[in-house]
Amino acid sequence: FQESWAVSVSLALLLISDPRCLASTPNMVLLGMFAVHYAYRAFIYPLRMRGGQPMPVGICALASLFCLFNGYVQGRLWTSITIRSLGSAADRVRFISGVAIWLLGWLINLDSDAILRRLRAPGESGYKVPQGGAFRYVSAANYFGEIVEWCGYAIAARHTAAV
């Protein structure tokens, strides 16, 4: 639920955007990267989960506020405030590298989530150690994937708001 604010607000800002920002392919790619991540987290991931623990209302409220704010900042950035250009070869290399790093992180995240979902059979409890994928290299591959994603986003965006 709380992640839905990030994608909803950022995409709603398209309705009041600056046409010059919408004409910028890098702006739309960056907004798309942001929206894809949060659409997955808000709408797809929860439907794939089995069970889970209830979340305290206070934590949900604070997470919702953060996602609302972040969605607004990222949405305004790419729809009204700045136009990300790829005027030089260095700009293009940084942008493409950032997008590739983001995609790698997103794929690590998807794979890690799938490994964690398959970790226990329905009704089974107890601790199990995830195996395979990025879990071969790090103990929290899902978080590692998120870190890689957002580092790629920051590299591609080259804006302090993306950090």
Side-chain angles (χ1 to χ4, degrees), residues 149-161:
E149 253 186 275
W150 294 120
C151 286
Y153 180 78
I155 291 166
R158 287 190 57 226
H159 196 286
T160 54

Side-chain angles (χ1 to χ4, degrees), residues 13 37 47 50 53 58 62 67 71 73 78-79 95 98 108-109 113 126 130 137 140 144 146 148:
L13 289 169
H37 170 84
L47 295 175
R50 292 187 301 239
Q53 301 293 322
L62 289 174
C67 288
V73 169
W78 305 124
T79 65
F95 182 76
I108 290 170
N109 204 352
D113 284 348
Y137 309 106
F144 174 70
E146 293 245 357
V148 172

